[in-house]
Amino acid sequence: IILLGPPGSGKGTQAKMIADKYKVLHVSTGDILRENVRNGTPLGVEAKKFMEAGKLVPDTLLIDIIKDRLAKDDVKGGWMLDGFPRTMPQAEALDKILPALGQKIDVVLNIDVPDEELVKRVTGRRMCKCGTTYHVQFNKPKVEGKCDACGSDLYQRADDTEATVKQ
């Protein structure tokens, strides 16, 4: 399953529900990128330069990260890609990667949300290092700036800006 849509469209929220319902692994490019950055992998070090600048990670880097992820054993029972592919070169690369791995696409879903709504969603999003997500208007933590799950400080991702949404 491939789930498409711009940042802030709700891909992550929908992907979790769909993945649970159909018993497939949720593969989020954003989560994979952040994990590689956290772990200091060569791909993560390279991706961090773009992410910290609020820029999109280049196709070649994302393609390598997805190829590596889809080759792992835990995706053999099925997967849902959340946020990949986003460009024609990514889609073309995926068309080559999947047959080589003995995999195929069964369905593609696209989430369409008006730009004004996307800006509101993205600029209000707050994250925790434990993976919990909040929103300053729609899903507030009990204590402002603190995660309900682990008590850590919440942060705003560098790419959660109006400029990134409009790219």
Side-chain angles (χ1 to χ4, degrees):
I1 302 170
I2 294 180
L3 188 57
L4 302 175
S9 62
K11 289 184 308 292
T13 301
Q14 296 302 316
K16 286 180 181 104
M17 292 187 290
I18 294 167
D20 286 346
K21 179 176 173 97
Y22 292 100
K23 311 277 188 264
V24 296
L25 186 69
H26 175 206
V27 178
S28 162
T29 52
D31 290 349
I32 294 169
L33 284 169
R34 286 184 286 277
E35 180 181 330
N36 276 273
V37 168
R38 242 190 336 269
N39 294 334
T41 68
L43 292 172
V45 170
E46 189 64 23
K48 184 177 182 180
K49 295 174 192 173
F50 296 94
M51 294 166 71
E52 285 184 341
K55 296 182 178 179
L56 297 175
V57 176
D59 286 344
T60 53
L61 192 54
L62 276 175
I63 290 164
D64 287 345
I65 287 172
I66 290 298
K67 183 178 182 181
D68 177 67
R69 185 63 187 92
L70 293 180
K72 296 190 186 310
D73 287 337
D74 63 347
V75 299
K76 300 294 186 224
W79 43 260
M80 166 174 268
L81 282 180
D82 163 6
F84 187 94
R86 282 197 178 152
T87 66
M88 283 306 296
Q90 289 176 10
E92 290 164 355
L94 191 60
D95 278 344
K96 293 176 184 163
I97 292 167
L98 293 178
L101 295 173
Q103 301 176 24
K104 66 180 180 65
I105 299 167
D106 292 321
V107 68
V108 177
L109 304 170
N110 184 50
I111 300 175
D112 188 26
V113 179
D115 286 348
E116 315 81 58
E117 182 65 22
L118 291 174
V119 169
K120 189 182 339 177
R121 289 180 185 186
V122 167
T123 58
R125 183 165 47 191
R126 299 296 181 267
M127 308 291 294
C128 179
K129 65 182 180 183
C130 75
T132 306
T133 303
Y134 297 91
H135 192 279
V136 296
Q137 185 178 359
F138 308 121
N139 182 30
K140 299 177 183 180
K142 291 177 184 147
V143 176
E144 186 176 341
K146 296 287 184 186
C147 178
D148 296 345
C150 73
S152 295
D153 290 336
L154 301 179
Y155 65 92
Q156 185 174 23
R157 292 182 352 201
D159 61 342
D160 281 350
T161 66
E162 184 171 347
T164 302
V165 171
K166 293 186 175 182
Q167 279 184 337

